[in-house]
Amino acid sequence: MDLATASSVLRLLADPTRVRLLALLEREELTVAELAAVLHLAQPRVSTHLAKLKEADLVRDRRAGVSAYYRANGETDESQQALLKSLRDSIDDALLREDAERLPGVLAQRAREEGWADTVAGDMERHYSPGRTWETLARSLLQLLETGDVLDIASGDGITAELLAPHAHSIVCVDSSERVVEAASQRLKPFANVEVRQGDMHALDLGERRFDLVLMLHALTYAEQPAKAVAEAARLLRSGGRLLAVTLGRHDHRAAVEPFDHRNLGFSSDELGGFAKAAGLAVVSCTRLSRERKAPHFEVISLVARKS
């Protein structure tokens, strides 16, 4: 972000009302009327400030029936997000706390008048309701799976295996970190069909064992030799077995991933598919799964490949 852009943002947020609006819209998606109720301001004044925030791309809106819902734009560039975070973290003000305290009452009023589902239609995945979580959805859908014998490479502390264990014949978890392996062993103690081992994804010592499904969920960003790691996974598949690899798409945000000890900066779909083909696998699909809303907008790609 250049000096002119930074100055423009700072001038825009020199008005306390716009800071209050942005603070609320980082918490919830709200209409002009709801914002006016929280801030105790007239709706035309709120609309004027929202227009300026929207013009600066700090706020976005969506239509739902006759209403327009506003929210903070979490997809601005990384440097602008860092500037806003710095400002947010440095402000401690009674007025902002009072706004936050009034917000639940306004949301409750909305729910009484419109019904929760109507207010979040078209954007439902971003909003919480009791019992409706991504964990619940995952556990529900996993009941439909029969995975056979599973190898989970770079398995971390065992959360994937914990989800899959009730639906698999057996699972072998492998991770290179002794401490992580110990944590996974503790987590997975209740499951007699799960085994946890320490090992190197580039050279897996599993004897003659072969698997119906091999998982590499965010394993390849830690691989010194990703093509070799995929070839090793392919070697351990039974005929007809599948490899599922999920990893970051190619990016140039080295500083952002350094704290996580990544060995490389992700992969393109062509690279990932090429690893599978070189290992003798048939690519079933290789596609982008998601793009993060917030800068630096990491993308995740997924490979499904099958052994003939």
Side-chain angles (χ1 to χ4, degrees), residues 46 50 62 99 108 113 116 128 188-189 197 213 221 224 241 286-287 292:
V46 170
L50 283 174
R62 69 174 179 89
D99 291 344
E113 292 175 353
W116 177 83
Y128 170 77
L188 297 168
K189 269 185 178 180
R197 294 185 175 205
L213 174 64
T221 48
E224 298 285 359
C286 191
T287 186
E292 293 183 1

Side-chain angles (χ1 to χ4, degrees), residues 57-216:
D57 204 29
L58 295 179
V59 162
R60 289 188 173 180
D61 64 345
R62 69 174 179 89
R63 304 296 304 189
V66 297
S67 298
Y69 288 86
Y70 293 83
R71 69 167 181 263
N73 180 11
E75 299 183 11
T76 55
D77 69 72
E78 186 176 358
S79 55
Q80 185 164 297
Q81 287 290 330
L83 175 61
L84 293 173
K85 183 179 186 301
S86 176
L87 291 171
R88 183 168 57 248
D89 292 347
S90 63
I91 297 173
D92 181 17
D93 186 80
L95 198 55
L96 292 177
R97 290 195 294 272
E98 290 168 6
D99 291 344
E101 290 168 1
R102 285 192 292 269
L103 180 58
V106 169
L107 293 174
Q109 179 64 28
R110 179 207 294 180
R112 287 192 294 269
E113 292 175 353
E114 299 183 36
W116 177 83
D118 291 337
T119 67
V120 298
D123 204 34
M124 195 172 286
E125 72 278 4
R126 296 183 65 247
H127 296 268
Y128 170 77
S129 67
R132 186 179 176 275
T133 63
W134 286 110
E135 180 185 1
T136 300
L137 177 62
R139 290 185 183 275
S140 298
L141 294 177
L142 282 168
Q143 295 178 90
L144 303 175
L145 297 182
E146 294 179 6
T147 55
D149 295 311
V150 179
L151 172 61
D152 187 0
I153 297 174
S155 55
D157 66 359
I159 182 59
T160 302
E162 183 184 18
L163 290 170
L164 285 178
H167 318 289
H169 179 261
S170 71
I171 302 178
V172 176
C173 297
V174 179
D175 200 279
S176 62
S177 165
E178 182 178 356
R179 186 171 183 177
V180 169
V181 165
E182 176 60 28
S185 298
Q186 292 299 316
R187 180 195 290 271
L188 297 168
K189 269 185 178 180
F191 301 101
N193 62 334
V194 179
E195 176 185 349
V196 183
R197 294 185 175 205
Q198 187 174 358
D200 179 358
M201 75 176 83
H202 303 90
L204 293 165
D205 183 14
L206 294 171
E208 298 301 313
R209 296 181 73 168
R210 295 297 181 268
F211 300 89
D212 301 298
L213 174 64
V214 174
L215 302 175
M216 304 185 82

Side-chain angles (χ1 to χ4, degrees), residues 78 222 251 253-263 265 298:
E78 186 176 358
Y222 295 94
H251 65 88
H253 305 290
R254 182 175 297 277
V257 300
E258 278 182 349
F260 303 96
D261 301 320
H262 287 190
R263 298 294 187 267
L265 300 182
F298 285 119

